[in-house]
Amino acid sequence: MRMYDIIHKKRLGLELTNEEIEFFVKGYTDGSIPDYQAAAFAMAVVFVGMTDRETAALTLAMAHSGDMIDLSCLGDLSVDKHSTGGVGDKTTLIVAPTVAALGAKVAKMSGRGLGHTGGTVDKLESIEGYKTSLSEEDFLGQVKKIGIAVIGQTGNLAPCDKKLYALRDVTATVDSIPLITSSIMSKKIAAGSHSIVLDIKTGSGAFMKTPEDAEVLGRKMIDIGKSCGRNVAALITDMNVPLGHAVGNALEVKEAISVLRGETKGDLREVCEALASSMVCLALGKDLEESKKLVKDAIDSGLAYAKFREWIGAQGGNVAWCENPDLFPRAKVEYDAVASESGFIGGMNAEKIGSASVLLGAGRVSKEDKIDMSAGIVLVKKKGEYVEKGDVVAKLYTSDEKRLPDAEKMFFDAITYSDTEPQKGTLIYKTLH
Ligand code: URA
């Protein structure tokens, strides 16, 4: 078999056999197929797509390209959650301890920030002492003992996806439904949880720009997960504007803590309650209404916040910071971004706000960049609110003053004003089973 023929066949729009797909995955993982052939293959898939059978074969081959985590010791209680990537998306920090407090088992491997979107592992590293890497024994031991552990993806989990994703990121081949499906589901299947809730983001800050595309992606991911014997549900949620008010690592952890303490309501809490309820439904076999009530009570009673502190402490994090978030280091520079005109905020492009936060130092421009944990943006006003010229729209935080002008420009490129009050957008479009 030759990779050249596989690329050519795909380019012609023909359906590949499972053997051809497995040949590609094996060869790309062991290095015998070079990046340029993998890039050509990915581009052919972007243009001509893949059938459901091909997508399933690619997913399974990538899942089996490295370690398969065995969570059978947790019975059917293990549950995972995956977001397709967003701005200000700190939901894992809230939903994971909430469902663990209710008896589900969260053995989670999370990712780092990518492009304009943030990653849970980076956020957790903003807590002094938090260990994002544990041995398999300690990881599983912690989940058995307290119901939750969250670490970074281990080196050998779906290594083919790891290489392919990095390649797609720099070859304009990310936004393809079969490639996203296989990328996410290969990792979720290899990571072992019995139940999986997918948060499929749609809108300006998401890879799927329309709810219709998000639904197609969600249905394919559910089908593949179910064909592997997993319980899967997907929520389609909005990413036209950032979720919550904070964008940037330590800032987002602080906002998550305020939700867990019951101090912050609004869009972030609403999405977290919906995701956590879905996880409780799947993992604990409760019906949706009961799950919603359990989740709400777990937050309101402080049970979820107590589990959060237990989890952070168990992984070496400084619990005092979680009890008094003022202890998180503050950025050297705090800058008020003020409205240049009066009016309603008509739009807040999430992708541009994510990019502005990266420019402030909260994300990486190249793989080697070190993140400034205290950098980012806090939105003082959100879409739909009225501002007078000169009112503070957002606070920008950075440790490097030179970063401010470009970041401020990018931030204001994201904002549009309107004379009339904009319609309230949809937050949760659909739940798919
Ligand atoms: N997240 C992933 O892990 N993979 C994709 O392809 C897109 C988002």
Side-chain angles (χ1 to χ4, degrees):
M1 221 178 271
R2 292 193 316 161
M3 191 58 202
Y4 175 92
D5 301 320
I6 295 174
I7 298 167
H8 190 234
K9 185 171 172 186
K10 183 78 310 215
R11 199 191 89 188
L12 295 176
L14 301 172
E15 191 177 16
L16 300 174
T17 64
N18 290 4
E19 292 69 35
E20 286 164 332
I21 290 170
E22 284 156 16
F23 176 84
F24 160 67
V25 169
K26 185 170 175 305
Y28 190 48
T29 310
D30 69 23
S32 56
I33 293 173
D35 275 349
Y36 53 80
Q37 285 190 312
F41 175 73
M43 190 58 86
V45 172
V46 168
F47 280 116
V48 303
M50 273 187 153
T51 62
D52 291 348
R53 189 198 46 74
E54 285 177 297
T55 309
L58 181 60
T59 307
L60 284 185
M62 291 210 297
H64 288 276
S65 66
D67 297 341
M68 299 287 287
I69 312 286
D70 180 6
L71 296 182
S72 54
C73 59
L74 305 173
D76 287 351
L77 294 175
S78 58
V79 62
D80 201 349
K81 185 225 90 170
H82 189 92
S83 155
T84 55
V87 179
D89 181 359
K90 65 284 286 175
T91 54
T92 295
L93 304 176
I94 300 162
V95 301
T98 303
V99 303
L102 292 168
K105 302 285 183 194
V106 184
K108 186 158 174 48
M109 292 189 189
S110 286
R112 295 198 177 272
L114 190 81
H116 67 279
T117 68
T120 302
V121 170
D122 296 328
K123 291 169 206 188
L124 286 168
E125 281 180 352
S126 73
I127 305 171
E128 186 183 57
Y130 187 93
K131 291 196 287 274
T132 51
S133 150
L134 295 177
S135 69
E136 190 171 333
E137 196 188 339
D138 288 350
F139 176 61
L140 283 180
Q142 185 177 312
V143 179
K144 280 191 209 151
K145 191 161 167 225
I146 66 166
I148 176 171
V150 182
I151 56 174
Q153 193 177 313
T154 61
N156 205 32
L157 190 92
C160 182
D161 174 64
K162 204 171 189 177
K163 281 181 84 177
L164 190 59
Y165 193 87
L167 186 74
R168 288 166 56 217
D169 197 25
V170 291
T171 55
T173 50
V174 171
D175 50 348
S176 144
I177 288 178
L179 293 180
I180 296 178
T181 303
S182 52
S183 166
I184 292 176
M185 292 312 287
S186 62
K187 287 179 289 224
K188 295 294 108 179
I189 288 164
S193 283
H194 182 65
S195 299
I196 303 163
V197 172
L198 302 162
D199 181 6
I200 316 227
K201 302 286 185 197
T202 181
S204 65
F207 296 121
M208 295 292 107
K209 300 295 178 202
T210 66
E212 292 73 28
D213 278 351
E215 182 163 352
V216 173
L217 178 68
R219 295 241 173 258
K220 290 202 190 300
M221 295 207 283
I222 290 174
D223 287 350
I224 288 177
K226 285 189 175 167
S227 71
C228 294
R230 310 299 166 92
N231 255 338
V232 196
L235 273 74
I236 299 181
T237 67
D238 186 67
M239 191 35 70
N240 280 298
V241 294
L243 191 57
H245 287 83
V247 182
N249 300 287
L251 298 170
E252 292 191 42
V253 174
K254 290 201 262 184
E255 187 177 27
I257 291 171
S258 80
V259 170
L260 285 164
R261 286 173 161 183
E263 294 160 1
T264 300
K265 300 267 178 345
D267 60 350
L268 174 60
R269 171 147 173 178
E270 210 180 305
V271 170
C272 286
E273 283 193 17
L275 289 168
S277 304
S278 207
M279 291 166 83
V280 167
C281 263
L282 293 190
L284 304 181
K286 310 276 183 199
D287 70 38
L288 186 59
E289 282 320 304
E290 190 184 356
S291 302
K292 282 184 182 167
K293 185 170 177 329
L294 286 169
V295 163
K296 191 175 172 313
D297 290 350
I299 298 177
D300 289 340
S301 65
L303 211 64
Y305 178 44
K307 182 58 74 179
F308 174 81
R309 297 191 318 259
E310 189 183 12
W311 155 40
I312 299 299
Q315 274 184 249
N318 189 336
V319 179
W321 288 18
C322 303
E323 281 160 358
N324 179 7
D326 288 340
L327 294 174
F328 276 84
R330 289 180 82 90
K332 279 206 290 263
V333 183
E334 298 189 16
Y335 176 82
D336 287 344
V338 299
S340 55
E341 54 188 280
S342 301
F344 290 98
I345 305 218
M348 282 195 141
N349 183 296
E351 179 168 0
K352 289 184 179 167
I353 292 177
S355 300
S357 157
V358 172
L359 288 174
L360 289 165
R364 299 177 187 81
V365 177
S366 71
K367 271 202 301 205
E368 297 72 31
D369 284 353
K370 207 169 152 352
I371 285 184
D372 173 358
M373 290 299 179
S374 57
I377 299 175
V378 172
L379 303 170
V380 176
K381 302 284 181 189
K382 282 197 78 174
K383 183 177 168 187
E385 289 188 66
Y386 186 82
V387 288
E388 295 286 355
K389 184 175 174 181
D391 280 355
V392 178
V393 180
K395 286 186 167 290
L396 310 189
Y397 296 88
T398 182
S399 301
D400 180 358
E401 201 155 359
K402 290 194 291 302
R403 290 175 173 269
L404 265 179
D406 285 351
E408 188 188 14
K409 181 173 179 322
M410 177 67 81
F411 176 77
F412 279 113
D413 277 354
I415 309 296
T416 52
Y417 297 95
S418 155
D419 291 340
T420 51
E421 189 171 352
Q423 273 196 337
K424 207 171 165 337
T426 306
L427 186 59
I428 300 170
Y429 291 87
K430 230 175 194 174
T431 302
L432 312 172
H433 295 281

